[in-house]
Amino acid sequence: MATGVTKVPIPRRGVDYRGKVVLAPMVRSGELPSRLLALKYGADLVWGPETVDRSMIGTTRRVNDSAGTIEWTRPPSHGQKEKPEDARESVIYKMHPAREGEKLIFQMGTCDPDRAVACARLVAADVRGIDVNAGCPKPFSTTGGMGAALLRTPDKLCAILEALVQNITPEFEIGISVKIRILETAAETEALVRRLCATGITGLTVHCRTTPMRPREKAIRDQLRMIADVCREAGVACLMNGDVETRDEGLRLAAEYGADGAMIAVAAEKNSSCFRSEEDGGLAPWRDVVADYVKISMEVENKFGNTKFVLANMVPGKQMVHGPITQCKSYTDVCERLELDHLLEKARAADMAVGLGEFATAAKKKDKKANVAALAAGGNMAQARKVKKDENKSAGKPSHPAETARPPEACQSAVAASSA
């Protein structure tokens, strides 16, 4: 890795990306428990999942004392013009100040400088850096002009970074960074990186794939040394991303190509002990890592659906327990399936805290019925029928098309009745 170079000053509350191996921003796979697990096994910094500016603007910051977390929440609309009075708040972003506050980078999806600043102001006091996503190739990001779409609108991307550097860095004393992908030619990439480095950012991460490429395609590192050199000239830290499997490999590749550090994504989804060096023990058995993940998920009251999604990636597909895990309805079920008897007491407490299994409340069931009615009233009959069918299946009841496919008028009556 590069040493002894001129550096863009790191703000007082910011962090220097140099010499670090970090967790990549990943939607669903980068929620709070996954970040804490990565830190437990040695990640130096963790990126939160891309969070769209519009979804954050208008949220309320609140402290969850029972989980020790800070949450940004907003009321769900469920497609209704007026929110139900008893609607439960949706958690848009969640972090744990004591366990990750000094190492968390907030990544936003944005395509507008003013919204980017408004979004950043909501979280800047609680994190150690703001990162702009200019590399996500998925339609939910690019169709809105965000993510990798920004690579084709460099004026807009630079305006966003400059707005954040000028407004957020002085006020909150943290750095601004950006994550990009390589372009089709080295000349195009170099021109872009030089412009980005001139905005005042402290860090740049390059995913060594072009926008059309997918994770199964081998990363392209031909441009990496050039990018690292441009960043070094500007005093900007450069992290490399793409096909980095372990901490040791990340540090080796960074040294080979002149980068300042490395970012791990896919390997961390499967086994977060990839952040542990061989000297400290290397990869841990999947059962040990899964047990740690389940314990952390319960401690921070993670959304159960997200916990199951992550477990489906962590438990090897050939293991007999893989299928049953995806069918679990509570943390108690998960612990029983995985034979984590030492966590059963914690599992019952977690189920009680979030209302799972035997602790599922009548209010939750009422909310589900209201959601079905709201979907149908909004014209989304197919989704309403699917939700109703799933409810009947879980309750062991037969599905009755005539009942589930009620006309919107009837569903509107149901909405009124459920909110009465």
Side-chain angles (χ1 to χ4, degrees):
M1 288 175 291
T3 58
V5 298
T6 302
K7 303 176 183 178
V8 173
I10 304 299
R12 183 182 64 85
R13 292 184 54 251
V15 290
D16 193 343
Y17 296 172
R18 294 173 177 86
K20 295 179 173 61
V21 180
V22 308
L23 177 69
M26 294 180 286
V27 175
R28 299 186 74 182
S29 295
E31 297 293 344
L32 177 56
S34 299
R35 302 196 302 267
L36 297 184
L37 186 67
L39 289 171
K40 172 183 171 62
Y41 280 104
D44 297 305
L45 296 171
V46 290
W47 266 238
E50 177 192 12
T51 305
V52 177
D53 54 9
R54 291 183 187 274
S55 69
M56 283 294 292
I57 295 172
T59 58
T60 299
R61 180 186 182 277
R62 72 179 187 188
V63 176
N64 181 336
D65 292 320
S66 63
T69 59
I70 297 173
E71 303 169 352
W72 284 262
T73 67
R74 70 187 318 141
S77 66
H78 297 311
Q80 297 164 290
K81 293 182 179 179
E82 296 183 7
K83 65 179 182 181
E85 292 183 3
D86 60 348
R88 290 174 292 124
E89 296 274 300
S90 294
V91 177
I92 305 302
Y93 196 80
K94 186 173 184 176
M95 58 90 63
H96 198 296
R99 298 169 72 171
E100 67 170 350
E102 299 297 318
K103 298 183 177 183
L104 175 61
I105 307 299
F106 177 86
Q107 190 189 69
M108 73 167 70
T110 184
C111 63
D112 179 82
D114 293 336
R115 284 204 307 271
V117 171
C119 174
R121 278 207 168 98
L122 296 172
V123 299
D126 297 297
V127 300
R128 287 299 177 263
I130 301 292
D131 188 71
V132 173
N133 185 329
C136 179
K138 296 183 179 178
F140 82 86
S141 189
T142 57
T143 52
M146 303 178 294
L150 288 170
L151 299 176
R152 297 303 180 190
T153 55
D155 290 344
K156 181 185 295 184
L157 176 55
C158 288
I160 291 169
L161 295 175
E162 288 169 351
L164 291 168
V165 169
Q166 293 167 12
N167 292 278
I168 299 302
T169 295
E171 182 177 350
F172 297 95
E173 298 183 275
I174 59 175
I176 307 301
S177 59
V178 64
K179 186 171 186 287
I180 67 170
R181 287 186 172 229
I182 60 173
L183 299 179
E184 282 72 14
T185 69
E188 290 178 292
T189 303
E190 180 179 355
L192 175 66
V193 172
R194 288 192 182 280
R195 290 193 62 181
L196 299 179
C197 287
T199 62
I201 58 175
T202 59
L204 180 147
T205 302
V206 56
H207 185 160
C208 297
R209 291 183 173 89
T210 60
T211 298
M213 293 176 67
R214 293 297 175 260
R216 65 179 178 275
E217 299 178 77
K218 187 177 180 180
I220 302 171
R221 300 194 177 112
D222 295 351
Q223 301 183 29
L224 180 54
R225 180 170 293 281
M226 174 272 293
I227 296 168
D229 287 344
V230 172
C231 288
R232 187 181 309 106
E233 291 172 14
V236 173
C238 176
L239 296 179
M240 60 167 294
N241 174 224
D243 291 349
V244 180
E245 299 290 331
T246 66
R247 179 182 192 84
D248 292 338
E249 182 185 39
L251 294 174
R252 178 182 61 77
L253 288 170
E256 178 181 348
Y257 288 94
D260 296 298
M263 177 178 278
I264 302 178
V266 177
E269 284 185 297
K270 298 176 181 177
N271 189 326
S272 289
S273 65
C274 63
F275 288 104
R276 190 166 66 178
S277 67
E278 286 295 331
E279 184 179 353
D280 291 331
L283 283 177
W286 70 266
R287 282 190 175 275
D288 294 349
V289 181
V290 163
D292 287 334
Y293 175 76
V294 172
K295 180 174 180 290
I296 292 171
S297 293
M298 295 189 297
E299 290 171 347
V300 301
E301 299 176 4
N302 192 43
K303 292 179 181 178
F304 187 63
N306 177 254
T307 297
K308 286 206 302 181
F309 172 83
V310 174
L311 285 174
N313 285 321
M314 296 179 69
V315 177
K318 293 183 179 180
Q319 295 292 323
M320 291 185 64
V321 74
H322 184 274
I325 282 293
T326 63
Q327 303 301 316
C328 289
K329 303 295 183 183
S330 67
Y331 280 110
T332 300
D333 289 348
V334 168
C335 290
E336 289 175 346
R337 290 289 189 181
L338 291 170
E339 300 180 348
L340 301 175
D341 295 346
H342 63 293
L343 294 178
L344 281 173
E345 187 174 342
K346 284 182 177 290
R348 285 181 57 81
D351 288 342
M352 183 181 297
V354 298
L356 295 173
E358 64 182 287
F359 301 104
T361 63
K364 264 191 170 183
K365 295 176 181 177
K366 178 182 175 182
D367 284 346
K368 286 185 178 180
K369 290 179 180 178
N371 290 349
V372 172
L375 285 167
N380 197 339
M381 297 298 295
Q383 183 65 17
R385 287 194 294 270
K386 182 180 184 301
V387 172
K388 186 66 177 177
K389 182 178 179 181
D390 290 344
E391 288 179 4
N392 288 341
K393 183 177 180 181
S394 63
K397 298 177 181 179
S399 297
H400 299 293
E403 179 182 335
T404 58
R406 292 180 296 169
E409 294 80 8
C411 293
Q412 289 169 352
S413 300
V415 173
S418 67
S419 61

